[in-house]
């Protein structure tokens, strides 16, 4: 157990913070695991500290509130700055299929499935977590997507596409409604591709 | 505080259960309030018993597990057997608009908003709650809707429509992604109506 007082003494002696980065990483790892496994609601700074083997005061000392720590460790299962250009480039008439293929394929991998369902579950759990997800998804995915779309009402188009993607994650992977839950990936792509296409490029009412 | 032992003694004396229905209703009311306000995760049989002013053993005695109590008090914000015939009857070419209008209108009322977002949040919280929501929504909405649709692959069509409805609840009302969150109801209807129409009646790949 390492406390804030221990840290301060250690720093006073040596003039630097030996092990700080290791301690921070242990806290991050515990936070990632607990947010993913038990959700935002049932994870606390105390339970994260316990798993990381540090004093709870150290967690808030390093990371602030639970919401701030969640924002710190929340990870998308892909790098939007690498993925978005690939989806937006190419024939505009097939952007819906490219986006659907990307999302459905990520959800077929164990890590992508765990991270995306974890994000959706966290966003549904508490307003504090929803705010973090909204801010990150808007800043890292929807705003850059809108900037690249080059169409009318690009922010609305991105949000509409996001609503169908999130709904598919909920129906197929979280609530597991049949026959959607068991449908082969290529059929899901063929079914939601035209919806995403319409939202992203076709005339809106 | 009323315990199971008290109840048994009372029944032994009188041969009936005075106050049982009142006690059950107090437990149901506390369960409804807590599931709605703090979500499925953070609600326990103990916290429900505390609010209802009864012994926790009495809650499990009457209702079984937390999952069973959730199934007992989970309420849709409308009666599907009254609503579905109205949506399915009429011109098949406008069923998407009728469904979108119904859902968006229910979400504009405080009670409908609270119950639908509560359902989606509960479904996202734990597998036990997701199973209850899946079973009820399939039995009370998707199966009757499929039976009335009279088209090919009706169960898949219902599930696809559900995915867009749930996604809209998440994006607009739970995560509150702009500009969707502030969009007037009639615009939301015009935007998702064609998606629901395609899923429910148009040829699927």
């Amino acid at each position: 157990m390492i406390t804030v007082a221990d840290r301060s003494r250690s720093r006073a002696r040596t003039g630097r913070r030996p092990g700080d980065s290791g301690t921070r990483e242990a806290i991050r790892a515990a936070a990632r695991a607990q947010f993913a496994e038990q959700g935002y609601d049932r994870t606390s700074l105390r339970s994260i500290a316990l798993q990381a083997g540090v004093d709870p005061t150290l967690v808030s000392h390093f990371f602030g509130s639970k919401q701030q720590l969640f924002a710190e460790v929340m990870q998308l299962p892909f790098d939007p700055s690498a993925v978005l250009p690939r989806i937006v480039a190419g024939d505009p008439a097939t952007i819906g299929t490219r986006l659907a293929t990307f999302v459905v394929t990520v959800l077929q991998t164990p890590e992508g499935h765990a991270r995306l369902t974890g994000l959706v579950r966290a966003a549904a759990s508490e307003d504090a977590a929803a705010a973090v997800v909204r801010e990150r998804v808007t800043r890292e995915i929807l705003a850059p997507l809108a900037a690249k779309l080059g169409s009318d009402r690009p922010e609305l188009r991105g949000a509409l596409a996001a609503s169908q993607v999130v709904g598919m994650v909920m129906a197929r992977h979280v609530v597991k409604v049949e026959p959607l839950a068991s449908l082969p990936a290529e059929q899901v792509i063929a079914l939601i591709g035209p919806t995403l296409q319409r939202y992203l490029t076709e005339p809106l009412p």
Side-chain angles (χ1 to χ4, degrees), chain A:
Chain A
M1 182 74 77
I2 305 165
T3 67
V4 172
D6 291 337
R7 293 263 142 208
S8 299
R9 278 196 297 274
S10 159
R11 206 191 321 166
R13 271 200 311 272
T14 67
R16 59 191 189 88
R17 303 187 186 192
D20 259 20
S21 67
T23 305
R24 283 176 188 267
E25 197 34 63
I27 295 169
R28 277 197 199 92
R32 269 188 214 106
Q34 294 198 4
F35 284 131
E37 284 157 24
Q38 59 197 42
Y40 186 85
D41 285 16
R42 282 177 295 177
T43 298
S44 66
L45 293 187
R46 177 167 295 276
S47 66
I48 291 167
L50 192 69
Q51 183 172 337
V54 302
D55 191 276
T57 55
L58 202 64
V59 178
S60 46
H61 174 70
F62 280 152
F63 294 101
S65 66
K66 181 169 91 164
Q67 185 185 17
Q68 288 171 312
L69 180 52
F70 177 67
E72 167 92 16
V73 300
M74 181 197 125
Q75 292 178 305
L76 294 169
F78 53 88
D79 174 5
S81 69
V83 167
L84 288 176
R86 290 212 315 267
I87 291 174
V88 177
D91 186 358
T94 51
I95 187 175
T97 300
R98 283 198 296 283
L99 177 55
T101 303
F102 175 73
V103 170
V104 171
T105 306
V106 166
L107 282 159
Q108 298 292 108
T109 69
E111 191 189 346
H113 182 276
R115 288 213 192 152
L116 268 189
T117 57
L119 264 190
V120 169
R121 293 188 125 129
S125 66
E126 276 186 29
D127 286 345
V132 171
V133 173
R134 176 176 65 243
E135 196 276 325
R136 285 281 296 277
V137 169
T138 301
R139 177 162 50 83
E140 297 186 14
I141 301 179
L142 298 180
L145 175 65
K148 285 177 201 299
L149 270 183
S151 57
D152 62 310
R153 305 169 85 188
E155 291 85 5
L156 176 59
R157 291 177 181 279
L160 286 167
S163 81
Q164 177 59 86
V165 168
V166 168
M168 182 54 63
V169 173
M170 279 291 292
R172 179 168 155 90
H173 299 278
V174 175
V175 182
K176 303 186 181 106
V177 174
E178 290 296 353
L180 214 44
S182 311
L183 213 62
E186 63 269 25
Q187 287 194 40
V188 178
I189 294 167
L191 287 164
I192 68 167
T195 299
L196 300 178
Q197 184 70 39
R198 175 171 160 265
Y199 288 154
L200 291 176
T201 68
E202 294 174 21
L204 296 181

